[in-house]
Every structure is written in structure tokens, then in C-alpha cells.
Amino acid sequence: MEFQSPVLVITTIKSGRAEALTALLRELNHALWEQDVNPFGDFNLQHFARWVVINDQLIFAAAVDGSAEDYLQQLARNCLELLTPIYEHCENFPESGSSSTESVTNYLITHQEQTHMFYHGLRNRRVADIQLESQIHRSIEVFLDGNQDSNSFRANNPTTIVETIKAHLKGTGIDYDSDDPHFHSRLPPSIKAAAWWRWPALIGIVLGAVLLVPLVAYKEWRERREPSEQNPFIADSQPSELDFEEIQAIQSPMTSIVTIKPGWFRGITLRLVLWAIQMLADHYYNKGRLGSIGSIHFARWAIINNGRHLLFLSNYDGSWESYLGDFIDRAAHGLTGVWGNAVGFPPSKFLLWGGASHAADFKAYAKRSQVATHFWYSAYPQLSMPNKLNNRSIRAFLIDSKKSSAKHWLRRF
Amino acid sequence: MIDKQDIQGFIKQGYGYLNYGRYLLVKIVDAAGFKQWLETHIDDISTAAQSDLKQTFNIAFTRSGLQRLSLPEDSLQSFAREWYENMVTPERSYRLGDTQHNAPENWQWGAPHQTTIDALLFGFFETSKGCKAWQQTIESFDFLEVIEVIEPRNLPQFKEHFGFRDGISQPTVKGMHKEKEKFNALATGEFILGHKNEYDEVAPCPVVNTNLDKHLQLKTNRQGDSLLGFNGSYLVFRQLEQDVHAFWDYVDQQSKDEYNKSHPQQRLLFASKMVGRWPNGKMIKPGATAQPSTGISNGPENQFTYENDTAGFGCPIGSHIRRSNPRATLDGQKKAKDAIKTANRHRILRRGRPYGEPIVSSMQADEILEKGNDDAQRGLLFLCLNADIARQFEFVQQTWLNNSKFRSLYTEVDPIAGIKPDAEHLLGNHFSIQGKPFRQRLRQVPSFITMKGGAYFFLPSIRALKFLSTLEDEA
Ligand code: HEM
């Protein structure tokens, strides 16, 4: 079983209703961020969630605990009042009055779409774990604030300081040291079980690439002589609206959609590259970093609309400028491998070169491909990825002090 | 090699040796008159080829300025979006932290409700007399109106008003400066438009239709457009008022001993930890508690890359200088070389000077505290040059200084220059001083600076100035 799964539900909006639906989502978003009204209430299986209207489609995407089906079932059970007014704008949604938990669950499940590549920054933490660990961290910080200026306290040896901290935590009633079976394994069993074939798989990737690259190079050469098309999705999102999305600065969403170059060839290349990246993410980059990028909570690519469009969704820390800068500085090959298959991308060479490493062109392309995220939810908007990882290590030591030394652990504050 | 005669001298140096200066923010009221004057005075403009000048003159424009000179819209749009929109848009204000007490509503100049600024004329002088005479000449012109006169002031020992030595760490521009520190040597295109930058690319450069360039002043690109931006740069100007008394008062409170008595040594240490250097510019070594003395041959130092202080025991991770240039210890890069390379894509060439009288001439903390708050205006005229405002200045401000999650920190922004969230804000605002056996955290650090005005300017090349001065007026 996976600890976390990507949920992707795409439905068609009834004609003439897109505007009203967009307005409703914006309203929910405003209430959430400005007035602290959480539309999910106590239901907290989603780390991140978003609803986006793109032309006549409504996209619901979430990174959730457990499996996607379970999640959708629970969502329908717990949040019917949230879902109904949203999905009433969509085709084939059960008529009002007849919508029940089952029919809504069914509706959502049947409109699910595949996610082709899913990256999770911190794999084995449920929302509840992350929130608990944040609470433990904050409680210790406050305790240390109270004692930091006392010379006699500071003169204690680290082990004694740790014992006092534990005594303090005990006093607060926070459940800081009960063990949790998920804790010790970084990876879900399915991936662990598959670990033996990662070397053959890697060799496969290399061989595949050797065969693929000349073909791609040929295509690139052909395409360079064709005029590149514009992205048709820039539709209604004003640049300034997008700018506002990233001023939150701690975390931001990015929603991007591009058209895949026509023909079977690009479709196959794209799927192979996404599969290869998924392999790398599962088996190598599973410690909170994608390559050397440590600022991504969750991200995904999905090929949608019968292979015509490529959707990219991400929840990242910091500013747009720093996120895109990280892409260019640290992940240009991977991105070129993926987006090079899309219309209008800066020209690539041999599949993985060029493209995203053209800094200015790539940023312009990313801006053009971005659409507004009308509703966006985060279960822990005050935590960055490094915070989550640090909090996890703090708790790991409290459960099992063999994990670190008291001296080093104290530097985590 | 770059053509230094074509480049305004302010890119090469800040003329710190000239003690007097003026920044005149002007509105162009008669474009034809202005152009005529500019055309005949091109030779007065200080270039990077000149040195040891006793008097300087440089000039930069906002979008409205170039609009007034009849530069067509398509050309204006080929400039950086940040410059085109200028410093005040609602989104940009959020991004830069120009909200609450820093909001444009409270500025002295540059806000939308104030007179639009077209150009910045500025010069530095050996004597106060020369400086005044120059200002009077400019003010006497009837083709422009001086909206704001800003007077910089050099403080003793190159200090800024809090009492710390400034102007130490600076990138050197390849082809222009002699290399000082290897990690500080940056590609020309990071600061001068039309040249290769740190990505080894020539970034998009403002252009103009060649037909308008009657005297063929400008270089052309392969598409046949004239490169108006070539050898120019973008100049960021922000007037930051400093509350010097509040700064030392806060640090004094934080460093009091168990009997609530001031502790001068601890106070100086805390203040230095916030900046990241001692007042005399020396680096803070892990475990140090007092400022090392400097000899003449033994001034401030800049060879460090934090590799020997990854934990921040000397210079805290969240201090002003470590945020504004993380050098080799930017998160996530294993190799120092790679980290420096990434950090170097976000560097700025600082050209700031203080303004206003120092609160006390010694600028010593005990005297400042004794004197109390005097309500006088003083601060930093923060100027910097860069080729990509979004990737350089705005990035530093937003992603490094004002980011409460910088690296793996939780709840703090730059203790000196950061824009602090309001008190009831979720994240509060602290400052962690990493140490043994665990950190000390200064709590609820207030804001010590207030934004008073700002704008983005374009600093054209000499040839571009010639072009602009001969540009035909709109019919
Ligand atoms: C009133 C506000 C400010 C004060 C008092 C101040 C003061 C200082 C001081 C004392 C230094 C150390 C000396 C040196 O290395 O030159 C410094 C360095 C620096 N400051 Fe500021 N600063 C202010 C605002 C800013 C702002 C707004 C920025 C950028 C957006 C900035 C960017 C830098 C940079 C890049 C360095 C050099 C860091 C390095 O390379 O080590 N400063 N500042």
C-alpha cells in the first residue's frame, strides 16, 4: 500500500457555467486564505488540494494519505456540502436531491485520470504526523526560549538538556514518543519489494535512451524548421493574478498546461521520460530532494485529454523566481526531457540538452504555460519542506535516541 | 573586451572618494529642450574609461521618461517587465515587502499618487561648492522640473548609520574590474546588458526599430533591430530610513544580564550577529565574543565562503550578509563550487550611500542610547545595478532577505533589512543565533527600516544616450 497517492479528477463543465464556477472557487479560496475558513472542515487526509477551471474542464487534484479511491469515498462522505455546489456546474453530476454519498463517490471515481509521474517530498508522513511533529517542534522552541539566557542551564551537558526537554514535553501532554510503524521505513513496501530490479531498470533506461535519442534528434531537427505554435491556454488568467499566487512566499501552487507535439512519436517519448523520472524519484530521490531541489512538497505530470495535453502541478516553497531558478540550475535536463515534447518549448538538443537551460526563454515559456489556480489548499501552510524534514528528525530522536547524538540533535532548533 | 567609453561610469564605481553628491529626481517638461541639452552635454557624462574624476555626472530613466522622449511603445515593451511596470504595482509591493508602514502611500517620492519621475540625474563632487553649483544649474533649466533633491552623506570609516562598515563585499565584473576574490568574479552580462551572463547566454536586450536610428548609433542584432540596451544596465533606487535608536535599544534590551543591567559586550555581539560582521568589517569567528582590532593593512576581510562555518556558529545563517549572499553554503548543493555558482546568479552591484546626519558622531552604542531618539531623518540610499531585476535585486529581496523560510529557518526574516510581519502574524519574527549547546533566539525583532521612496531606472550606454537625444519628437 502507498502512504500517499495522487488524486486527479477531471470533469466537463456545463456550457456557460465556467464563469460562475470560477467565481465560486475564488470565493472559497478567499475565505480559506483571508478568513481562515477551511472548507474541508475536520477532514484532513489531503496534504494539498486544488480546483482549477481550464476552459470547459474542472480539474481537482490532491496529494492524499492512503489510496485515491479511499480518499474520494471519504471526501464524499465528509464534504458533500462542499462538493455539491461545485460539481453541480459539471456535466453528469447526480441531480440535486438525488446526490448521495455513493453517487458522488461514484461520480468522482469514474472521472479519475491517471497521473504519469508523482513526486512526494516526504513519503511516509501522513498529514496528522506532520502536524504533530510541528507541534512538538514548536513546543521545544518555546521551552528553549525560556531557558536560553540562563547560564546554568546552558552549562548542562547535552544529554541532560535533552532529558529536561523530554520532561517538559511529558508535562504538555503531547504524544511525542510513541512509536509508529510507518516511521522507520522511508519507503512503502511496494517500492521496497521492487528495489531489486532497479539496477536492471536503470540499464533499461540507458539502453532505451541510446535508441531513442537519435530519433529525437532527428525530430528536433525537423521541428526546428517548423514555426512553433503558441500555447492556447493562456486564456483568462491575467499575469497579475498569477503573480499574486506566489506572494504567499512560504508555499505556492503552480498549475501549468501545455500542448503535446502531435504524432505518436512524442507521446511515446514523453511517457518513457516520465516513467524514467518516476523511477529516479522512487529509488534515488526519495529523501526529500528531487535531484538537489529541496523545495518541492508534491509535484506531478499527467498526460490528459487523450494524450493531447500535459498538465504539471506542483506545491513548492518560496518564490516563483527561485523555483524556476532551481529548475534551470539543477534540473534542466529532466525538464527538457519532458517539456521538450510540448509545443513552443525552447529548442532542445538530443532530448535532454538545450531547452530549460536557456534561462530567459524557459522562464518566459513557464509563465506562458501557467494558468491560475483558482482554489488551493495546504494542510500546513506554515511549513517549508526543510521544516518538515527537520521536524521528522526531531521526533525520530525522541522515539529512538540512537538515531543521533544529543549534541547534534540540539542543533536542530 | 568591453568598450568602457560607451559605459556610464557609475557601473564601474560608486565614486566613494568624492564626498559630496546629489541625486535629482526630475520630470521632463519639454522633451525637445531636454534632448537638445542632452545632445550637447553627452561628453560631460562620466564613463567607465575615466578615472580619478573630481566631478561626475550620470543619468538614468524610468519608462515614463523614455516615453516622454518619444521612444515608441514596442521598444518600451522590449525592456524588462519590472522596469516597464516600475516599482509600484500591487503584486510587486507584496513581493518587495512594501506593505504596511512601508507601503507606497507613505512614501516621499515614487508612489503613484505623486509626481511621476522621468529621470535621475546624479553627480558626485570633491567640494560642497561644486555640488551646489551643479544642482543650481540643473534647477535653472526650464525643460525639466526637479521633483526631489536627495543628498547623500559619507559617514566616517565607510559606515552606515547603525555603525557598521559597509561597501566591503562586491562582485567584480569581468572585463571591467580587476578580480579580487575568485568567487566574486562575475560574468559581464550580469550587470551590463547585451553581454554573456552567468548562464553563458546573452539575455534579451531592449531594442528599437533600426529606422528610428537615423545616425546609426546603435549596434544591431541578427534580426536587424537596434540594441538600445547594449552596454546599459538597470538601476534600482530605494530610500530606506533607519531608526538607529530603536535598533540599539532593542539589542540593548535583549542583551541585558540577569540583573537587568546593560551588557555592552554582549550587546555588540548580538548586533554584529544580526549584520554578520563586526562593526569594523571583520568576520565573526565561531566562538568569538569581542571585536578583533584592525590595523591599516589588516582591514575588513572578504575571502570567506562560510565553508568553515556551515552551522552558523560565527556568522549566523540568518544574518544580513549571509542572507544577501550565501556564498558556498546555499542549501542543497554538496559541492562548494556548485553552491557558489547558484548563489552568483543572484548578485547585485551595490552603489548605496547613507543620507542624514549620524545620530551621534562617534556612532557608538552607549552614546546613541544616552542621546535617545531624535526623530531626525537618516538612512541608506540603497542603489544597486543589475541586468535582470527579477532574478537579481528582487530575488535577493524576496527569496533571501524577506523569506521567513530561508534555508531551513522557521520564523525569521533578515534582522537588518528584512520587512517584518506584523506582531499578530502567525510567524512572529525572531532571529536565531546558532551556538552551543543550542541557539539563542532574539524574539520579536521589530522593523528598524522604513521604505521612503523608490523606482527602477535604466542607465543607458553613451551611444544609447546619443540616440535618445536625437530621437525625433512625436508629431
Ligand atoms: C538600511 C538597510 C541596510 C543596511 C543598514 C545594510 C547594511 C549592510 C552591511 C553593514 C553590510 C556588510 C558590509 C559589506 O559586506 O559590504 C551589508 C552587506 C550587503 N548588503 Fe546590506 N544593508 C541594508 C540593506 C540591504 C538591502 C535592501 C539589500 C538587498 C536587497 C542589501 C544587500 C546586501 C548585500 C548583497 C551585501 C553583501 C553581502 C556579501 O556579499 O557578503 N542590503 N549590508
Side-chain angles (χ1 to χ4, degrees):
Chain A
M1 192 205 77
E2 275 282 0
F3 298 133
Q4 299 159 346
S5 319
V7 171
L8 182 61
V9 175
I10 302 184
T11 48
T12 308
I13 302 167
K14 289 179 186 158
S15 104
R17 300 284 279 276
E19 213 165 292
L21 177 55
T22 308
L24 170 65
L25 295 173
R26 284 224 172 89
E27 215 171 279
L28 288 169
N29 196 58
H30 182 83
L32 171 62
W33 291 99
E34 303 297 324
Q35 291 145 10
D36 224 4
V37 184
N38 177 0
F40 293 106
D42 295 334
F43 178 66
N44 74 342
L45 292 184
Q46 61 282 326
H47 294 249
F48 291 89
R50 75 183 78 193
W51 271 289
V52 182
V53 173
I54 301 178
N55 297 339
D56 66 339
Q57 286 183 315
L58 173 64
I59 294 177
F60 172 70
V64 306
D65 288 329
S67 77
E69 270 81 15
D70 278 351
Y71 173 80
L72 290 173
Q73 204 162 23
Q74 304 245 27
L75 177 69
R77 190 173 305 149
N78 288 281
C79 303
L80 207 55
E81 285 107 277
L82 167 65
L83 298 175
T84 309
I86 293 174
Y87 283 98
E88 267 173 359
H89 290 286
C90 292
E91 302 276 10
N92 303 326
F93 188 67
E95 286 302 311
S96 57
S98 71
S99 74
S100 61
T101 304
E102 288 89 292
S103 61
V104 172
T105 307
N106 259 337
Y107 174 80
L108 295 175
I109 287 179
T110 49
H111 285 88
Q112 276 196 97
E113 295 278 335
Q114 194 192 339
T115 289
H116 293 77
M117 190 271 151
F118 184 56
Y119 170 76
H120 10 184
L122 189 50
R123 292 191 91 111
N124 60 353
R125 303 281 76 200
R126 293 164 301 184
V127 173
D129 297 321
I130 291 168
Q131 284 167 342
L132 171 66
E133 282 150 23
S134 171
Q135 200 188 357
I136 293 171
H137 164 259
R138 279 207 308 264
S139 175
I140 299 174
E141 291 279 19
V142 171
F143 176 75
L144 291 177
D145 281 344
N147 290 286
Q148 65 176 10
D149 300 324
S150 152
N151 288 333
S152 56
F153 185 83
R154 296 187 79 89
N156 285 317
N157 73 37
T159 325
T160 315
I161 296 177
V162 170
E163 286 316 312
T164 0
I165 290 173
K166 285 186 177 169
H168 157 76
L169 287 171
K170 220 169 234 130
T172 62
I174 299 173
D175 175 20
Y176 68 93
D177 62 351
S178 61
D179 208 348
D180 144 15
H182 287 169
F183 209 91
H184 305 290
S185 61
R186 208 172 48 234
L187 298 173
S190 57
I191 286 191
K192 276 202 161 159
W196 65 269
W197 60 275
R198 67 191 200 177
W199 290 111
L202 220 88
I203 292 164
I205 292 175
V206 172
L207 282 177
V210 168
L211 293 173
L212 199 60
V213 163
L215 274 169
V216 175
Y218 170 70
K219 272 274 176 190
E220 286 164 348
W221 176 74
R222 287 272 308 271
E223 282 162 4
R224 227 164 289 151
R225 316 160 120 229
E226 298 159 13
S228 66
E229 289 166 54
Q230 284 293 314
N231 180 35
F233 291 103
I234 24 179
D236 70 327
S237 44
Q238 303 300 323
S240 66
E241 188 181 1
L242 295 175
D243 289 345
F244 261 117
E245 277 175 12
E246 49 110 2
I247 57 180
Q248 214 88 28
I250 294 175
Q251 299 172 348
S252 306
M254 176 160 164
T255 304
S256 141
I257 184 164
V258 295
T259 305
I260 298 167
K261 287 175 181 163
W264 57 270
F265 179 76
R266 285 294 182 182
I268 291 178
T269 317
L270 179 58
R271 281 177 175 79
L272 278 174
V273 173
L274 289 176
W275 177 81
I277 295 179
Q278 184 74 64
M279 285 290 297
L280 290 172
D282 285 348
H283 296 290
Y284 301 92
Y285 300 127
N286 49 26
K287 300 173 193 72
R289 291 186 175 281
L290 186 55
S292 71
I293 303 180
S295 60
I296 306 176
H297 294 262
F298 293 93
R300 76 172 91 189
W301 271 292
I303 299 167
I304 60 170
N305 297 338
N306 297 320
R308 275 181 297 133
H309 301 132
L310 176 64
L311 185 68
F312 174 72
L313 307 175
S314 144
N315 304 284
Y316 64 92
D317 290 330
S319 63
W320 189 91
E321 196 56 44
S322 69
Y323 188 45
L324 270 284
D326 277 351
F327 275 180
I328 296 161
D329 297 343
R330 309 171 186 209
H333 293 317
L335 293 175
T336 305
V338 178
W339 270 320
N341 297 297
V343 170
F345 194 72
S348 58
K349 278 192 197 131
F350 302 111
L351 185 61
L352 303 182
W353 281 266
S357 62
H358 300 297
D361 289 349
F362 174 64
K363 280 186 199 165
Y365 175 80
K367 267 252 143 79
R368 279 200 306 276
S369 77
Q370 219 178 322
V371 295
T373 306
H374 299 112
F375 171 87
W376 182 64
Y377 168 89
S378 163
Y380 31 79
Q382 78 289 6
L383 294 177
S384 67
M385 253 320 278
N387 290 166
K388 275 160 61 177
L389 288 164
N390 190 49
N391 293 353
R392 178 191 177 283
S393 303
I394 287 171
R395 183 165 166 222
F397 177 79
L398 291 170
I399 294 175
D400 177 2
S401 61
K402 285 193 282 300
K403 292 267 176 220
S404 162
S405 75
K407 187 174 115 194
H408 284 102
W409 184 75
L410 284 172
R411 294 187 186 162
R412 295 194 171 275
F413 299 94
Chain B
M1 244 351 241
I2 55 173
D3 178 7
K4 289 186 189 162
Q5 288 181 7
D6 191 36
I7 295 173
Q8 292 206 50
F10 197 56
I11 301 184
K12 181 163 169 233
Q13 57 172 320
Y15 306 110
Y17 62 94
L18 296 171
N19 273 325
Y20 301 89
R22 288 289 187 280
Y23 303 95
L24 306 178
L25 298 164
V26 308
K27 179 182 154 155
I28 300 168
V29 287
D30 164 15
F34 178 84
K35 284 184 212 172
Q36 206 173 23
W37 168 77
L38 184 61
E39 193 180 359
T40 50
H41 287 80
I42 292 279
D43 291 342
D44 295 348
I45 291 172
S46 311
T47 74
Q50 299 163 314
S51 50
D52 300 326
L53 290 170
K54 298 207 157 62
Q55 155 164 1
T56 71
F57 169 43
N58 288 108
I59 183 162
F61 298 90
T62 62
R63 176 185 49 143
S64 74
L66 294 192
Q67 227 159 8
R68 250 182 248 282
L69 300 186
S70 306
L71 192 69
E73 182 61 22
D74 61 344
S75 174
L76 292 169
Q77 289 201 6
S78 68
F79 282 75
R81 179 176 161 199
E82 298 72 37
W83 175 85
Y84 185 90
E85 295 178 350
N86 212 339
M87 202 176 277
V88 185
T89 68
E91 309 82 63
R92 181 151 295 115
S93 293
Y94 273 102
R95 190 170 317 156
L96 298 177
D98 296 341
T99 57
Q100 300 166 36
H101 69 290
N102 293 302
E105 291 95 273
N106 307 322
W107 290 6
Q108 284 164 7
W109 58 272
H113 65 277
Q114 291 158 330
T115 317
T116 309
I117 288 153
D118 292 333
L120 169 69
L121 277 56
F122 59 111
F124 300 102
F125 306 84
E126 207 167 37
T127 64
S128 155
K129 225 172 97 196
C131 185
K132 280 197 190 115
W134 179 76
Q135 179 184 338
Q136 275 163 9
T137 314
I138 305 282
E139 281 172 332
S140 71
F141 296 149
D142 50 8
F143 49 80
L144 53 78
E145 187 185 311
V146 175
I147 296 162
E148 188 82 18
V149 178
I150 301 175
E151 193 180 332
R153 168 192 291 265
N154 280 352
L155 300 178
Q157 295 147 33
F158 311 101
K159 289 196 168 179
E160 51 69 47
H161 279 288
F162 292 145
F164 288 81
R165 175 150 179 165
D166 202 356
I168 302 164
S169 178
Q170 197 79 287
T172 50
V173 182
K174 283 187 188 145
M176 168 103 85
H177 296 123
K178 212 166 81 208
E179 179 177 310
K180 277 194 277 179
E181 298 88 18
K182 192 150 192 63
F183 63 89
N184 255 335
L186 267 78
T188 317
E190 289 296 301
F191 304 101
I192 305 177
L193 297 168
H195 297 265
K196 276 204 174 162
N197 61 21
E198 283 287 314
Y199 295 93
D200 209 22
E201 289 192 315
V202 179
C205 179
V207 289
V208 66
N209 190 323
T210 307
N211 296 335
L212 292 179
D213 187 10
K214 299 237 162 58
H215 308 277
L216 295 180
Q217 308 278 4
L218 304 170
K219 224 174 110 125
T220 53
N221 66 9
R222 257 185 271 159
Q223 285 84 41
D225 293 317
S226 291
L227 293 170
L228 182 55
F230 188 75
N231 279 345
S233 187
Y234 290 108
L235 174 65
V236 176
F237 193 152
R238 285 166 74 81
Q239 180 172 348
L240 302 169
E241 195 139 294
Q242 291 172 262
D243 191 341
V244 178
H245 182 261
F247 174 76
W248 284 105
D249 187 49
Y250 172 79
V251 185
D252 187 54
Q253 296 298 333
Q254 294 292 316
S255 54
K256 281 191 168 153
D257 65 13
E258 280 154 82
Y259 313 101
N260 208 27
K261 257 188 69 199
S262 288
H263 190 316
Q265 189 181 351
Q266 187 77 349
R267 184 173 65 206
L268 193 70
L269 178 65
F270 279 180
S272 303
K273 291 274 185 180
M274 288 162 85
V275 172
R277 288 180 184 269
W278 292 103
N280 63 12
K282 286 272 184 195
M283 63 186 289
I284 310 171
K285 300 237 162 64
T289 53
Q291 170 168 251
S293 56
T294 45
I296 291 176
S297 60
N298 180 20
E301 46 209 313
N302 205 31
Q303 278 294 354
F304 54 92
T305 52
Y306 305 122
E307 282 165 276
N308 300 329
D309 187 18
T310 44
F313 290 157
C315 181
I317 309 271
S319 65
H320 175 58
I321 70 159
R322 200 156 169 171
R323 278 180 182 264
S324 53
N325 180 11
R327 304 187 186 205
T329 53
L330 196 62
D331 233 21
Q333 304 278 27
K334 284 197 197 82
K335 285 195 229 126
K337 205 176 87 223
D338 294 340
I340 288 173
K341 192 167 156 191
T342 308
N344 274 351
R345 290 169 169 178
H346 311 284
R347 301 291 302 281
I348 51 179
L349 207 47
R350 286 177 301 142
R351 290 284 179 256
R353 287 192 184 212
Y355 69 97
E357 241 178 283
I359 187 163
V360 294
S361 56
S362 70
M363 293 200 289
Q364 297 291 325
D366 40 359
E367 286 183 41
I368 292 170
L369 288 165
E370 208 167 294
K371 164 128 193 223
N373 199 353
D374 66 351
D375 289 329
Q377 299 191 346
R378 60 175 65 84
L380 180 69
L381 300 167
F382 176 86
L383 276 79
C384 75
L385 293 157
N386 51 192
D388 186 336
I389 301 175
R391 172 165 66 78
Q392 294 171 278
F393 165 69
E394 288 189 352
F395 184 99
V396 174
Q397 177 87 9
Q398 179 188 19
T399 304
W400 286 350
L401 304 191
N402 278 346
N403 179 2
S404 60
K405 300 291 180 183
F406 176 72
R407 298 211 36 206
S408 43
L409 298 172
Y410 282 77
T411 54
E412 48 191 271
V413 299
D414 187 302
I416 299 293
I419 309 295
K420 321 282 162 75
D422 38 344
E424 72 263 31
H425 193 280
L426 184 69
L427 286 168
N429 186 50
H430 310 312
F431 172 63
S432 303
I433 300 173
Q434 288 82 32
K436 293 176 188 165
F438 61 93
R439 94 294 191 268
Q440 267 172 305
R441 186 156 84 147
L442 307 188
R443 294 176 50 79
Q444 305 296 344
V445 188
S447 242
F448 307 117
I449 63 168
T450 309
M451 183 59 190
K452 287 292 173 187
Y456 290 146
F457 295 94
F458 166 60
L459 192 77
S461 68
I462 303 298
R463 274 187 276 175
L465 284 170
K466 281 188 193 153
F467 162 80
L468 290 168
S469 70
T470 53
L471 189 61
E472 242 161 68
D473 292 323
E474 230 159 60

